[in-house]
Amino acid sequence: MEAENVKPVTTMSTGIRYGIIMGLISVAFFLVLVISGINTTQGWGRWSPLILNAVVLFLAQQYFKENGDGWMTYGQGIGVSFYTGLVSSLMMAVFLFVFMQFIDTDFRTEMQEMQRAAMEEQGLSDEQVEQAMKMAAKFSTPGLLFVFGTIVGTLSLVFLGDRKSTRLNSSHLGISYAVFC
């Protein structure tokens, strides 16, 4: 029998694979929340997509380890997280653009009004509400998904990284180091 021509798993290929998965899950979950009328700016509607993203990042890193050498360096984990976050955030950005421009043109305004009402209900002054709304506008971009994906992916390395590995990558031109535990 001939040996199979199997391409080695890379951080980019894993990130793209799981970025597409995360993007599709994010779009589907977002639509479920919107169709069911769940507020996507507060409570369960706000935090549950972040948990789903963390799970997908965990699975991506597990896939990389299982289909690679059985271990992962911190740099590789960051790479997987980076590409996963990049691909999924680009997919979500395109979807949200289409959704807000053509499907539900009032969506963003409705979400902002829900946020404003919740802050006023908490007894914040008009000045505090305006300041909070400006800050929320800065953080309510699809880029936040990318940032979160990268951060959570990096933090998940604490659990997935192979700290006992002393294997050095010969492709590094500089000095490599390994963490010994």
Side-chain angles (χ1 to χ4, degrees):
M1 283 190 162
E2 287 184 36
E4 291 183 36
N5 281 337
V6 178
K7 290 184 180 180
V9 67
T10 65
T11 57
M12 182 184 280
S13 66
T14 302
I16 290 171
R17 171 190 294 248
Y18 279 87
I20 292 169
I21 292 169
M22 185 186 299
L24 293 173
I25 290 172
S26 296
V27 167
F29 194 69
F30 175 82
L31 289 173
V32 167
L33 292 177
V34 170
I35 290 170
S36 63
I38 295 174
N39 185 345
T40 60
T41 64
Q42 296 178 352
W44 187 82
R46 180 178 184 157
W47 299 111
S48 55
L50 301 177
I51 293 167
L52 284 174
N53 289 341
V55 168
V56 172
L57 286 171
F58 174 81
L59 293 173
Q61 292 177 352
Q62 282 296 111
Y63 173 85
F64 182 84
K65 285 176 66 173
E66 290 171 3
N67 292 287
D69 294 335
W71 63 282
M72 174 190 323
T73 66
Y74 288 106
Q76 289 169 327
I78 291 170
V80 169
S81 300
F82 172 80
Y83 288 116
T84 302
L86 179 66
V87 170
S88 65
S89 64
L90 288 175
M91 289 177 64
M92 196 64 181
V94 169
F95 167 76
L96 287 174
F97 175 79
V98 170
F99 182 80
M100 289 190 265
Q101 291 294 327
F102 304 109
I103 298 171
D104 188 353
T105 56
D106 295 329
F107 178 76
R108 186 175 185 150
T109 305
E110 291 170 6
M111 291 299 107
Q112 289 171 338
E113 289 306 315
M114 284 182 180
Q115 287 177 324
R116 181 181 300 279
M119 287 185 260
E120 289 171 351
E121 191 175 291
Q122 293 175 353
L124 297 177
S125 70
D126 289 341
E127 184 179 302
Q128 290 172 317
V129 169
E130 284 306 314
Q131 186 178 17
M133 292 303 291
K134 287 179 185 176
M135 186 64 76
K138 291 179 183 177
F139 288 103
S140 64
T141 63
L144 183 61
L145 179 62
F146 171 71
V147 171
F148 177 76
T150 303
I151 291 171
V152 169
T154 302
L155 292 176
S156 69
L157 290 173
V158 171
F159 302 106
L160 295 176
D162 186 358
R163 294 185 209 166
K164 293 185 178 169
S165 174
T166 58
R167 185 172 175 182
L168 299 177
N169 187 344
S170 61
S171 67
H172 287 126
L173 295 175
I175 299 173
S176 298
Y177 70 93
V179 179
F180 297 92
C181 291

